[in-house]
Amino acid sequence: MSPQAPARPVRVFISRTSAGFAATAAERDAGLQRTAEKVAAVLESLGCKVDAQPTFTPHWAGVKHMLVDKLHDCDAVIALLGPAHGSLMEEPLPADPRLGLKDPRTHGGTWSYAQLEYLVARDLPRPIFPFLCEGPELIAPFTQDPDLARRQQHFIDTFVKDHTATWQSYTTWAGLEAALRALKIPHVSLPPNNLPFLTLGSLFVGRDEFLEKIRTQLVPGTATVITQPAAIHGMGGVGKTRTAVEFALAHRSAYTALLFITADSADTLHRDIAALCGPLVLNLPEQDAQETEVQYQAALRWLQRHPGWFLLVDNVDSEPAQKAVAELTRLIPAGHILITTRLAAWPTGFLPLDLDVLTPADSVRLLLTHTDGRRTTRPDDTATAEKIATHLDGLALALEQAAAWVRHRGSRTLADYLAAWEKENARLLSNYQDKGAGDYHKDYPHLPRPLLVTYQTSNAQLTPQAHQLFRLLSWLAPDPIPAEALAHLTDPPDVPGLLADLADLHILTRTADGTTVRVHRLLQQITQIEQETESPPPALLAALAWVDGEYLGDPADVRAWPVLLPLTPHAIAAAQAGAARHLPEPAARLLNDAAGLLKTRADHHHAEPLYRQSLALAEQHHGPEHPVVASCLNNLAELLRATNRQSESEPLMRRALGIDEASFGPDHPKVATRLNNLAQLLKATNRLADAEPLMRRALGIDEAAFGPDHPDVARDLNNLALLLKATNRLPEAEPLMRRALGIDEAAFGPDHPEVARDLNNLAQVLKATNRLPEAEPLMRRALGIWEASLGADHPRVAAGLNNLAALLQDTNRQSEAEPLMRRALGIDEASFGPDHPEVAIRLNNLARLLQNTNRLAEAEPLMRRMVGIFVQFTRATGHPHPHLQTAVGNYWRLLEAMGDGEAVVREKLDAVLAPVGGVDKFPLPSPQAKFPVAGCAVGLAVVGGLCWWLGFLRETAWVAGVWAVLAFVGWVRRKRAGK
């Protein structure tokens, strides 16, 4: 079950001016600045998180950036308003949607910074609590231009006193403090948002017309695709993702959620949709589910049921990914979908928008505005910016990196950058002329040369340690990397400082809270290619060593997932890069563990290729008869068994068993594990006599190795007890199950999933021996443990629901049983797919309930589908499924109850059973004798009437009449049901 979202403190922004209050620092300390500090202290004592600006120091990206970042994510604004106007902004305010200003009176005006904070907070909207501060206790003496004083009073009268919030004047600290302590500040419910960037605000230039085009074309039920025209087709760095993010943030108030996923492959799309369940995005209960498919379906349901969201699907650059995205848009028509891609051709239903490079004028404006106040100015800056813009071909990513280069030290000129870029460009051209024509495009496919030169110009500014770190990061996935895990690196030292340097140069991006960093995939590609001459690249070895040291924990244990899940894409990326360069270790281990985590989450499709790759590496490194190879074989075999491919699984299991017997001897615990797995497969394929001796041998090995009270012994006892139950030896099974339960409760405590397994198995034995009152509380306890520990949509929960529903049905509580059965069926279909034997068992149970409640027409398709699944299993494995014969008999009796004659019944069964030889291969139940209901009713009525008329045996007459009525009613009901 999903934990409650962690309680967070109320977030308060304190807005006030720090200019004009006094002539000296001492006087300022005695005035409103000290008042603001005291206000912050009171709010913090009340449990609030306070963001107070001692002086207004906006981010280099400007005032708008700061306001969107700070004010949008606050719960309330405390506005300390005094008579001082404060510093004036240099330019009038435009009607910019990124500011959130709705009052037309604010557009085109010139305001102080503190006034702008108030106006933006009001129009976002955010609760504002204005406090007019007057008197010497709160305001120190000051001098101010009379015109500014009039402006401040006009602002207070027009925009503060007409506001719906309560405002009051305060002259003493005691009064102000009492008012603060009486405030009731609610939490603001912010829409989910996992966009990868903050807005650039006023520094986002040259795209206004394009943003308006997106706004006019986005309509519910369609997807808009940002593409590039043929002139730059396939070229990266034009700014598709940045433009899409800026659009979303500019219109954030219009959406119920701002969501971001990547889709460079169909697999990545599926994974990122599932990840939307997480606590920092949609915070759905299914975030705790072990299966990726369960989380994927939960996220889809949210998107289907909560219209009005915005979804950015990034990097759809392959045809398989394009097809997967097209299918996704069909499933979720309730919001706005924006797609970034290098593919120009899209099917009907998508609205292509060609995003071109920035114009020369906009490129110059970007360079000048992004470096304003952070460069040494020269008279020829505009002309120099024009030359740089020409070199960079209007590529937004290159222009932003160029500006970051200039800002990085704060004393450089644009001319310095132009000289460095031209020097790097000459070096690059000289290198490729020496190598021969055409080598550049061979090394850097789909990568514009201006971006490569720009990156290398920035790269030259890095310290050796920062360059070393970035080379390491280039071997990881282009997914968010946990900064906390990177901080564990000791070589290079001071990773947090180096990450800050890389972010300053726009070589990587960091989230606002600094918890993760992300490397642009184009820059990763450049850096990897640069290292190809090194065999193997030292940075790759360092990346593998780092991931190997961080990717630790049992992949099957949900408690390890908070660490493992964010690192999984990086473990896979580094391991596959190592495998391609013949570095089997730790690549094989990382791939195997990543596959194990995916398998535990029922993400079998993505786990299987990783298991196979890990097996190939292990065989290459250790040879075919090594115990590590046996473990890889076993893991792959278990996945094949879980996905209903027993015939493929069995030879791998037998080979793993042979290797471990040869390596460790016949009595080693690893051999016991292999025996258990093989026995489970034999049991699943109805070879119970072959399975039992393997189970008993495994139990003996583990008891000798670990003693009688080890959890592995409990596992063996459970497996053997279930086999004994399947062969109707219940008195032998029960003591084994009780012993297993005692072991696991002592080892794990009373609320562990393994304890739930034991409780469930014991309850099944009690039910089979007709001790239903004893069985029910065990079933309910097991179900509660599984839901709490594994999530509401785990297959074990489905098994618990199914078992409890069967018991409720046996105690004539059909209405309680049916919703449990339907929920169990839904869970298993989502977890295993529609054709798994577990799904067939759920179908059979639900169909039997429908049959018992006289809904035969609803039951028939479920029964038919159930038999078909068991037929598929039998054909695929070469062994009849243990439940196939029972399934055929159940379907036969249902058809017969529906009124079909024997010939029709055989015809329908023959159609389903054709793949396994047809109906004649199965012993079928004898047709039920047709009881002459109508004739019996008439006969009983006649007998009763004669007895009454003759005046004797009147009690017999009453009995005959009652039976006649009951028989007739039953006949009528069957006729009405069409049977």
Side-chain angles (χ1 to χ4, degrees):
M1 297 172 64
S2 176
Q4 292 280 334
R8 63 169 177 81
V10 172
R11 296 164 298 200
V12 179
F13 183 90
I14 297 180
S15 173
R16 50 92 178 161
T17 183
S18 59
F21 275 89
T24 68
E27 290 174 328
R28 283 197 298 272
D29 288 341
L32 191 61
Q33 183 165 322
R34 185 185 65 186
T35 300
E37 292 172 353
K38 293 171 71 174
V39 167
V42 170
L43 294 172
E44 288 171 350
S45 73
L46 297 173
C48 298
K49 180 179 179 181
V50 177
D51 191 347
Q53 301 278 41
T55 56
F56 195 99
T57 52
H59 186 275
W60 66 267
V63 174
K64 297 177 187 178
H65 187 130
M66 192 286 298
L67 290 175
V68 171
D69 184 16
K70 298 288 186 185
L71 297 181
H72 188 276
D73 291 336
C74 73
D75 293 298
V77 171
I78 301 292
L80 302 177
L81 298 162
H85 184 275
S87 301
L88 284 167
M89 296 182 64
E90 294 180 1
E91 298 179 358
L93 283 179
D96 189 335
R98 285 183 289 269
L99 278 175
L101 293 173
K102 299 179 176 61
D103 189 338
R105 295 176 299 169
T106 61
H107 308 327
T110 303
W111 310 93
S112 75
Y113 290 126
Q115 289 171 350
L116 181 60
E117 293 167 12
Y118 182 97
L119 293 171
V120 172
R122 186 192 70 172
D123 287 351
L124 272 174
R126 290 293 176 271
I128 304 180
F129 300 93
F131 295 93
L132 304 187
C133 299
E134 301 172 330
E137 187 173 338
L138 299 178
I139 301 296
F142 69 96
T143 57
Q144 183 177 220
D145 185 301
D147 181 60
L148 290 180
R150 284 192 297 272
R151 286 194 185 195
Q152 178 71 352
Q153 191 59 48
H154 173 74
F155 174 79
I156 292 173
D157 292 339
T158 305
F159 292 101
V160 179
K161 292 184 178 180
D162 72 343
H163 192 263
T164 56
T166 301
W167 64 271
Q168 287 184 337
S169 295
Y170 295 91
T171 58
T172 66
W173 168 247
L176 180 58
E177 181 181 14
L180 290 168
R181 294 190 179 278
L183 287 179
K184 303 294 183 183
I185 304 176
H187 283 87
V188 170
S189 179
L190 297 175
N193 179 354
N194 71 328
L195 295 177
F197 313 129
L198 296 171
T199 180
L200 289 177
S202 59
L203 296 187
F204 183 65
V205 301
R207 301 299 193 198
D208 291 343
E209 183 178 343
F210 190 80
L211 291 174
E212 178 62 17
K213 189 183 294 185
I214 297 176
R215 189 192 66 79
T216 57
Q217 291 206 14
L218 269 181
V219 294
T222 67
T224 298
V225 185
I226 300 180
T227 64
Q228 295 165 293
I232 55 171
H233 177 66
M235 185 182 296
V238 75
K240 303 183 294 295
T241 304
R242 166 59 73 184
T243 301
V245 169
E246 290 291 344
F247 171 83
L249 293 173
H251 300 278
R252 64 201 304 172
S253 61
Y255 291 110
T256 57
L258 303 175
L259 305 175
F260 173 86
I261 59 174
T262 55
D264 51 358
S265 70
D267 291 349
T268 305
L269 173 68
H270 191 277
R271 182 198 70 200
D272 278 16
I273 288 285
L276 294 178
C277 288
L280 301 181
V281 193
L282 300 179
N283 195 29
L284 302 180
E286 291 81 1
Q287 65 186 264
D288 296 326
Q290 289 198 13
E291 303 80 15
T292 303
E293 182 62 27
V294 170
Q295 295 182 332
Y296 174 81
Q297 294 296 335
L300 284 187
R301 285 194 298 272
W302 191 95
L303 293 168
Q304 290 161 351
R305 298 171 184 175
H306 296 79
W309 41 261
F310 172 91
L311 176 65
L312 171 54
V313 186
D314 197 35
N315 271 35
V316 186
D317 295 335
S318 68
E319 290 187 7
Q322 184 187 53
K323 291 179 180 177
V325 170
E327 174 61 18
L328 174 68
T329 62
R330 184 187 67 79
L331 295 173
I332 50 172
H336 286 174
I337 300 175
L338 203 56
I339 299 163
T340 67
T341 179
R342 290 202 294 258
L343 302 175
W346 280 79
T348 304
F350 292 82
L351 307 174
L353 296 174
D354 293 332
L355 181 63
D356 206 343
V357 296
L358 289 168
T359 65
D362 285 330
S363 298
V364 169
R365 186 155 64 98
L366 186 153
L367 288 168
L368 294 177
T369 56
H370 279 232
T371 58
D372 187 30
R374 299 286 296 275
R375 72 177 189 274
T376 300
T377 58
R378 288 177 35 163
D380 61 348
D381 275 352
T382 300
T384 305
E386 289 173 351
K387 292 180 182 178
I388 296 172
T390 300
H391 283 322
L392 301 187
D393 288 346
L395 290 167
L397 179 60
L399 289 162
E400 289 177 8
Q401 281 198 338
W405 187 98
V406 175
R407 293 194 310 267
H408 186 54
R409 293 288 181 259
S411 60
R412 291 178 170 141
T413 66
L414 290 174
D416 292 335
Y417 181 79
L418 178 62
W421 194 94
E422 289 177 336
K423 179 179 179 181
E424 185 59 39
N425 185 49
R427 186 190 68 80
L428 179 73
L429 291 176
S430 175
N431 288 347
Y432 277 96
Q433 286 171 356
D434 292 342
K435 293 172 66 176
D439 282 345
Y440 170 83
H441 294 291
K442 175 183 175 183
D443 285 354
Y444 300 98
H446 308 301
L447 187 65
R449 185 168 57 85
L451 182 59
L452 172 62
V453 178
T454 300
Y455 161 70
Q456 291 182 334
T457 303
S458 297
N459 194 40
Q461 301 304 305
L462 295 175
T463 65
Q465 293 80 11
H467 186 251
Q468 177 187 351
L469 176 61
F470 186 69
R471 285 162 67 92
L472 182 156
L473 298 179
S474 72
W475 294 106
L476 305 180
D479 296 70
I481 308 167
E484 182 180 359
L486 286 174
H488 298 160
L489 281 166
T490 57
D491 186 20
D494 185 28
V495 168
L498 298 178
L499 291 175
D501 285 345
L502 292 168
D504 285 347
L505 281 166
H506 208 72
I507 292 176
L508 56 76
T509 58
R510 291 188 294 179
T511 52
D513 57 7
T515 57
T516 63
V517 300
R518 186 191 293 260
V519 180
H520 197 290
R521 64 189 68 235
L522 292 180
L523 303 185
Q524 282 185 313
Q525 181 184 0
I526 295 171
T527 311
Q528 287 182 9
I529 294 172
E530 287 178 342
Q531 300 176 62
E532 289 296 342
T533 57
E534 305 167 2
S535 184
L540 173 57
L541 296 176
L544 282 167
W546 172 74
V547 178
D548 190 43
E550 296 293 324
Y551 201 68
L552 301 174
D554 182 0
D557 188 343
V558 295
R559 294 170 295 182
W561 289 2
V563 171
L564 294 180
L565 278 172
L567 291 171
T568 294
H570 307 295
I572 294 171
Q576 290 183 329
R581 290 157 182 81
H582 310 292
L583 301 172
E585 289 299 334
R589 198 279 294 179
L590 293 171
L591 291 170
N592 182 75
D593 284 3
L597 186 145
L598 296 174
K599 174 181 173 289
T600 305
R601 293 168 60 83
D603 194 354
H604 302 117
H605 172 70
H606 298 135
E608 183 173 343
L610 301 183
Y611 270 143
R612 293 189 181 277
Q613 192 173 7
S614 176
L615 173 60
L617 288 171
E619 288 183 315
Q620 167 194 331
H621 185 61
H622 299 290
E625 304 300 325
H626 195 277
V628 171
V629 173
S631 294
C632 294
L633 287 165
N634 175 77
N635 293 340
L636 177 58
E638 283 288 279
L639 182 142
L640 294 170
R641 182 167 72 88
T643 53
N644 201 26
R645 288 177 282 174
Q646 279 80 356
S647 59
E648 297 177 56
S649 176
E650 185 171 343
L652 303 188
M653 286 189 176
R654 292 191 181 277
R655 183 180 159 200
L657 174 60
I659 292 173
D660 279 347
E661 284 185 316
S663 300
F664 302 115
D667 299 321
H668 194 276
K670 282 189 177 291
V671 173
T673 299
R674 308 292 179 253
L675 289 166
N676 250 314
N677 293 342
L678 178 57
Q680 291 296 96
L681 184 145
L682 295 172
K683 177 174 177 283
T685 52
N686 205 26
R687 290 176 280 173
L688 306 184
D690 295 333
E692 183 171 345
L694 303 189
M695 289 184 181
R696 292 190 180 279
R697 181 181 161 202
L699 175 59
I701 293 171
D702 283 337
E703 284 184 316
F706 301 123
D709 298 322
H710 192 275
D712 284 3
V713 172
R715 175 202 63 196
D716 301 340
L717 290 165
N718 252 306
N719 292 341
L720 179 56
L722 288 174
L723 186 141
L724 294 171
K725 176 180 176 290
T727 53
N728 203 31
R729 288 177 279 174
L730 302 179
E732 296 179 58
E734 183 175 343
L736 302 188
M737 288 181 173
R738 290 191 181 278
R739 182 181 159 201
L741 174 60
I743 293 171
D744 283 338
E745 283 188 314
F748 301 118
D751 298 320
H752 194 274
E754 297 304 301
V755 172
R757 173 202 65 188
D758 302 338
L759 290 164
N760 180 73
N761 293 344
L762 177 57
Q764 293 306 300
V765 171
L766 296 173
K767 178 174 175 289
T769 54
N770 203 30
R771 288 177 282 172
L772 305 186
E774 295 179 55
E776 183 172 346
L778 302 188
M779 289 185 184
R780 291 190 181 278
R781 182 181 160 200
L783 178 59
I785 293 171
W786 278 329
E787 286 185 313
S789 58
L790 303 178
D793 295 316
H794 192 275
R796 287 195 181 184
V797 172
L801 290 165
N802 176 78
N803 295 339
L804 179 57
L807 184 143
L808 294 171
Q809 193 175 8
D810 287 347
T811 53
N812 202 28
R813 288 177 279 174
Q814 315 283 5
S815 61
E816 296 178 53
E818 183 173 343
L820 303 188
M821 287 186 176
R822 292 190 181 277
R823 183 180 159 201
L825 173 61
I827 292 172
D828 279 346
E829 284 183 315
S831 298
F832 300 123
D835 300 322
H836 196 278
E838 288 297 318
V839 173
I841 293 171
R842 307 290 176 253
L843 289 166
N844 175 76
N845 295 344
L846 178 57
R848 293 293 301 276
L849 182 145
L850 295 171
Q851 184 178 356
N852 292 341
T853 53
N854 205 28
R855 288 177 282 171
L856 309 185
E858 294 180 55
E860 189 278 332
L862 304 185
M863 284 274 193
R864 177 168 17 100
R865 183 179 158 203
M866 174 262 298
V867 175
I869 292 172
F870 288 142
V871 166
Q872 291 179 30
F873 175 96
T874 301
R875 188 178 183 186
T877 65
H879 303 284
H881 191 278
H883 299 315
L884 177 58
Q885 180 61 54
T886 302
V888 171
N890 289 346
Y891 190 31
W892 172 282
R893 281 183 283 272
L894 174 64
L895 293 173
E896 190 180 53
M898 294 178 71
D900 291 341
E902 182 178 353
V904 176
V905 171
R906 294 182 68 87
E907 181 182 349
K908 290 182 177 180
L909 277 171
D910 205 41
V912 180
L913 298 170
V916 289
V919 70
D920 292 333
K921 297 287 186 181
F922 295 85
L924 299 174
S926 300
Q928 294 180 0
K930 301 295 184 182
F931 189 72
V933 176
C936 179
V938 172
L940 287 170
V942 170
V943 170
L946 285 172
C947 291
W948 188 269
W949 181 66
L950 293 173
F952 64 89
L953 297 177
R954 293 205 172 190
E955 291 183 2
T956 304
W958 275 108
V959 173
V962 170
W963 277 107
V965 171
L966 291 175
F968 182 74
V969 169
W971 177 76
V972 169
R973 289 179 64 187
R974 290 173 62 82
K975 282 296 183 184
R976 284 182 176 176
K979 310 301 182 283

